[in-house]
Amino acid sequence: MKRLLKILFLYIPVGYIAVSVLLVLLFKWAPVKFTPLMLERSLDGTATLSCVRTNRWTALDEISPALQRSVVASEDARFFEHKGFDFVELKTMKEKHEKLGKKIRGCSTLSQQTAKNCFTSGSRTLLRKAVEAYYTFLIEKIWGKKRILEVYLNVAELGPGIYGAEAASKKYYGKNAAKLSYGESAALVLCLPNPLKRTPDWVNRHMSTRRMEIERISMQTKLLFDRK
């Protein structure tokens, strides 16, 4: 009985922590070519595994600063200020809910979204959220902001079978991600909340005001690692 308890409460947790830290260390430098979401999409018929093999890993320096800024402006305005969890946004959301009765919405940071995409199944359970929070802490400590943004822009789902900025840019605009304009970038990031239904054309038709707002904000957004 003692041996079983030792396995359950010592060896397994320590082993899991060791493997998870090694995995995060590996992906600090190695390209993340495959994620649990890609597997899920291939199993449910949304996409095929072949689309994963055709997606080229793209270094952050080869992705338009306009797209980098647009993602921060749209998805996580305090990306460079928080340490993985935006407690300011959480507090604001709670206050709006209590005072105005507004529906509580998700406010995951880019760090949390990256951790979810790379290390969890994406299921809506408390266990998944706990695992996501654990990996968010790890990648903030081990990767840093530049690497988190780079990985996010390479694995984010932007359409059926379309993962990452380079694949999306070629699919929708016929160009490399390095050449995306602010307008194109804003339309692209507005697909992120519902990538299986939204396209940049749909955004331009139905969300033009929001697209112009993101474009305006992103042009004013500063990145800690902006190229001179």
Side-chain angles (χ1 to χ4, degrees):
M1 187 62 176
K2 286 185 178 180
R3 179 175 175 78
L4 178 60
L5 291 174
K6 203 170 185 178
I7 291 173
L8 290 175
F9 296 104
L10 179 61
Y11 294 156
I12 291 179
V14 170
Y16 179 81
I17 291 171
V19 170
S20 62
V21 170
L22 287 173
L23 193 61
V24 172
L25 281 170
L26 171 65
F27 287 133
K28 180 177 174 64
W29 296 282
V32 182
K33 291 290 189 71
F34 191 75
T35 68
L37 177 62
M38 294 177 188
L39 176 60
E40 180 184 340
R41 295 299 192 219
S42 68
L43 293 175
D44 68 17
T46 302
T48 63
L49 289 177
S50 62
C51 69
V52 178
R53 292 195 295 271
T54 60
N55 289 349
R56 182 175 70 86
W57 179 267
T58 308
L60 195 63
D61 287 344
E62 297 175 4
I63 297 174
S64 168
L67 181 59
Q68 297 178 41
R69 292 171 180 164
S70 295
V71 166
V72 172
S74 177
E75 296 291 299
D76 189 357
R78 280 180 285 274
F79 177 60
F80 295 105
E81 300 171 25
H82 63 65
K83 296 182 179 180
F85 307 94
D86 191 347
F87 296 108
V88 174
E89 179 65 16
L90 287 168
K91 181 180 178 181
T92 300
M93 181 184 67
K94 181 181 178 182
E95 289 175 349
K96 286 183 177 179
H97 173 68
E98 292 175 347
K99 292 180 180 180
L100 305 174
K102 287 191 175 183
K103 182 180 179 181
I104 294 180
R105 57 178 177 79
C107 53
S108 293
T109 64
L110 286 175
S111 303
Q112 289 174 278
Q113 292 180 52
T114 303
K116 179 185 73 174
N117 288 342
C118 294
F119 303 108
T120 80
S121 64
S123 60
R124 297 176 182 273
T125 64
L126 289 177
L127 177 60
R128 194 274 292 172
K129 292 297 291 184
V131 172
E132 175 191 303
Y134 169 68
Y135 277 103
T136 297
F137 171 80
L138 285 184
I139 64 176
E140 279 279 338
K141 291 293 184 182
I142 296 173
W143 289 1
K145 298 293 187 180
K146 184 174 183 178
R147 180 59 175 176
I148 289 171
L149 186 58
E150 182 176 61
V151 173
Y152 179 83
L153 288 172
N154 272 278
V155 303
E157 184 179 37
L158 284 159
I162 303 171
Y163 303 101
E166 185 73 9
S169 182
K170 288 183 176 178
K171 170 67 176 179
Y172 296 123
Y173 299 117
K175 62 172 74 173
N176 293 332
K179 298 179 179 179
L180 288 170
S181 68
Y182 278 99
E184 292 165 340
S185 298
L188 201 57
V189 299
L190 285 173
C191 297
L192 288 167
N194 196 348
L196 298 184
K197 293 185 177 180
R198 294 183 185 180
T199 66
D201 285 342
W202 184 93
V203 169
N204 289 330
R205 290 196 305 271
H206 301 283
M207 301 181 69
S208 58
T209 301
R210 177 59 176 161
R211 190 210 71 219
M212 288 188 286
E213 181 185 9
I214 293 299
E215 185 177 352
R216 175 182 58 79
I217 296 172
S218 64
M219 293 179 74
Q220 301 169 352
T221 299
K222 297 296 183 182
L223 301 177
L224 292 180
F225 37 81
D226 267 346
R227 297 199 294 275
K228 305 296 183 183

